[in-house]
Amino acid sequence: MKCRTFLAFAFAITLSLNYAFGQVTENPKVDEQSAEYVKIKRVELTDQYTIISLEFVEKKSNVPQVPKGFNLPFKRGQGPIQGGNQIWLDPETRLYKPGEIEKKFKLIKAENIPTNATKEVTAGEKVDFVAYFERLSPGIEEFDFYEGRSSQGTQSWNFYGIHIKNPLKKPVQKTPKITAKAAPPVKKPAEKAVVPQKEETPVEEPAAESGVAVLRGNVFNAKTKQPIAAEIQYVEKGDSLQIRSSSGKYRLGLDPAEKYDLKIVAKGYYGTALSLSPADSAGKGAFTHDFYLNPLAVGETITMPNIYFETSKYALLPESYAELNRLVDMMRENKNIRIRIEGHTDNVGDFDKNLELSRQRAESVQAYLVEKGIEKSRIEAKGYGGTRAVTKGTPEERARNRRVEFVVTEV
């Protein structure tokens, strides 16, 4: 009896030790995710796997109520069906260390969710499922769960910035044994044998995976330098996609073969844009870009950097339309805002002619906005010529004086 009790006690201690040394993170912090109705409940690291337990909750409606601008949460092109939707986990889902996309950890298997078929879910149903991936390398304590890029009629489940416990293993230091050194035996010199040298074959390093490029950064208030909630909009392969960030921090998975025109918008701020070709980024798989948005407060002066005119004339060039359309969108979304368009020139040449040209250029911008449906009563136009220079440096620097700005006069 005592022997059995001892064995049971030893077995219980062994189990408790195994559990204590396992790496488990309950409800890990996630910086951003693409679908709010799926959450990560637990991440466990074993010798063989990274085990991620997730929970899916179907909305309590036969017809999904999709927020404006969001794609429907169907998988692999599945449309709505009576009583629910279809879900599955893409077998190409993988884990990445942020910024190092060549380090990927593949999906091995999944439980309670199919990977090569679909699973029907009914309104209000909750599905708990588990995904097994290759084991994350020790020391990776933040990773991304990337299922794929969303497309029309589908919604991928991507999680960015998952924080877990996974410290580096500390090497075991062995205490060297101290032994008395014996005198080396005296050997007769021997002739050196000629050993034929093997020709070394160069080992080719595996090429970095080019399946996805990562763009990440933050969106800030240009005045306070504090992060703000924002939305990033872009088009990929004909699909209009949006990523919302409540913290201002964002991370996008992009196709390296595509070209992107990103729009960054936030309520109460004047948006901005970025044109991007991941393939032109010197072969980098990940890069960073922060955005600074100007608040739409009374008295704020906002420079529009991409307004172009014919030389010494006031006719707008087509290269100006993207910036002007961004201003149109802002005026449409903020019905009570009134602005003053201000034209500026440098101080080279005739003072009166510069003053007249700056006024005409401001009126050209006003006319464009009116043509797009903005009430003229909301837009004042004024020219200041070269009286409000921002720099007096070299000719290249003085080119900054030739600009168009708008001032918020009423909110």
Side-chain angles (χ1 to χ4, degrees):
M1 179 63 71
K2 289 182 179 179
C3 181
R4 289 181 181 177
T5 303
F6 175 79
L7 289 175
F9 179 74
F11 181 70
I13 289 180
T14 302
L15 284 178
S16 65
L17 286 174
N18 286 339
Y19 182 80
F21 285 106
Q23 298 296 338
V24 177
T25 306
E26 301 283 354
N27 299 312
K29 176 188 174 185
V30 178
D31 292 337
E32 296 295 336
Q33 62 188 81
S34 62
E36 297 297 330
Y37 50 83
V38 183
K39 67 179 181 179
I40 296 177
K41 300 174 64 179
R42 173 188 173 100
V43 177
E44 179 180 359
L45 300 174
T46 68
D47 290 338
Q48 187 176 4
Y49 298 117
T50 301
I51 306 172
I52 304 180
S53 302
L54 303 100
E55 179 184 87
F56 168 92
V57 179
E58 172 64 356
K59 296 175 182 177
K60 295 182 178 181
S61 172
N62 289 341
V63 180
Q65 300 297 313
V66 183
K68 182 180 178 182
F70 269 74
N71 293 324
L72 296 173
F74 309 137
K75 306 303 291 176
R76 286 291 188 191
Q78 295 290 326
I81 60 174
Q82 188 63 35
N85 296 323
Q86 302 279 353
I87 62 170
W88 83 328
L89 186 65
D90 194 315
E92 296 301 317
T93 302
R94 58 270 196 199
L95 309 181
Y96 284 110
K97 180 180 178 181
E100 298 183 25
I101 62 172
E102 69 278 2
K103 292 185 180 179
K104 76 171 184 177
F105 302 87
K106 298 179 182 178
L107 177 68
I108 305 299
K109 61 180 180 178
E111 294 178 353
N112 203 35
I113 190 169
T115 57
N116 292 310
T118 58
K119 178 185 179 74
E120 181 179 342
V121 289
T122 57
E125 181 179 355
K126 182 177 75 173
V127 179
D128 291 309
F129 61 98
V130 183
Y132 291 76
F133 294 86
E134 294 175 324
R135 210 306 187 166
L136 288 169
S137 304
I140 297 180
E141 295 195 306
E142 180 183 354
F143 68 94
D144 297 340
F145 178 113
Y146 188 76
E147 188 184 23
R149 289 181 291 274
S150 300
S151 59
Q152 192 63 38
T154 70
Q155 175 67 65
S156 293
W157 301 335
N158 299 327
F159 301 84
Y160 302 109
I162 305 166
H163 298 263
I164 61 168
K165 294 176 288 188
N166 184 25
L168 283 170
K169 292 181 179 178
K170 294 182 180 179
V172 179
Q173 295 183 350
K174 294 183 178 179
T175 305
K177 293 181 180 179
I178 301 175
T179 56
K181 291 186 178 180
V186 179
K187 293 184 179 180
K188 292 182 179 180
E191 292 184 3
K192 292 183 179 179
V194 179
V195 181
Q197 302 258 337
K198 269 179 101 178
E199 194 174 323
E200 292 187 3
T201 304
V203 179
E204 293 185 5
E205 293 187 2
E209 185 185 16
S210 59
V212 63
V214 177
L215 172 65
R216 59 181 176 176
N218 296 274
V219 184
F220 295 107
N221 180 319
K223 298 297 181 182
T224 66
K225 304 302 185 289
Q226 295 297 311
I228 57 174
E231 178 177 288
I232 299 177
Q233 305 169 352
Y234 60 101
V235 175
E236 184 179 77
K237 296 180 180 177
D239 295 326
S240 297
L241 305 176
Q242 301 85 25
I243 296 293
R244 287 191 173 98
S245 170
S246 58
S247 65
K249 185 176 182 179
Y250 76 91
R251 188 178 288 124
L252 301 179
L254 305 176
D255 187 340
E258 290 276 312
K259 292 185 177 180
Y260 295 88
D261 290 313
L262 306 175
K263 291 175 60 178
I264 297 81
V265 297
K267 188 174 183 180
Y269 293 82
Y270 183 61
T272 187
L274 174 68
S275 295
L276 179 69
S277 297
D280 297 338
S281 59
K284 295 180 181 177
F287 37 100
T288 302
H289 190 93
D290 292 332
F291 299 99
Y292 294 85
L293 305 188
N294 288 286
L296 297 172
V298 173
E300 285 294 327
T301 299
I302 300 171
T303 301
M304 293 186 287
N306 301 308
I307 304 298
Y308 304 100
F309 301 90
E310 293 183 15
T311 304
S312 300
K313 297 182 180 179
Y314 55 88
L316 285 163
L317 295 176
E319 292 83 354
S320 307
Y321 296 163
E323 183 77 38
L324 290 171
N325 290 337
R326 195 154 41 248
L327 181 56
V328 169
D329 290 341
M330 184 277 289
M331 297 288 286
R332 287 174 177 166
E333 292 168 4
N334 298 272
K335 301 293 186 182
N336 296 324
I337 272 190
R338 294 174 182 266
I339 64 173
R340 180 174 64 250
I341 304 294
E342 297 183 346
H344 303 272
T345 67
D346 56 30
N347 56 5
V348 178
D350 184 87
F351 178 88
D352 291 331
K353 287 183 179 179
N354 283 340
L355 195 62
E356 177 67 10
L357 179 61
S358 65
R359 181 186 61 79
Q360 290 173 326
R361 287 180 169 180
E363 288 176 348
S364 292
V365 172
Q366 181 192 46
Y368 184 93
L369 301 182
V370 172
E371 183 183 342
K372 293 295 182 179
I374 307 301
E375 298 90 338
K376 190 174 182 179
S377 60
R378 298 173 60 195
I379 314 159
E380 183 186 356
K382 196 165 186 178
Y384 291 94
T387 63
R388 297 188 179 184
V390 293
T391 180
K392 296 180 180 179
T394 64
E396 290 76 15
E397 291 174 335
R398 288 200 300 271
R400 291 171 50 204
N401 295 325
R402 300 189 293 270
R403 67 197 188 278
V404 174
E405 300 172 329
F406 73 87
V407 179
V408 179
T409 58
E410 186 177 325
V411 176

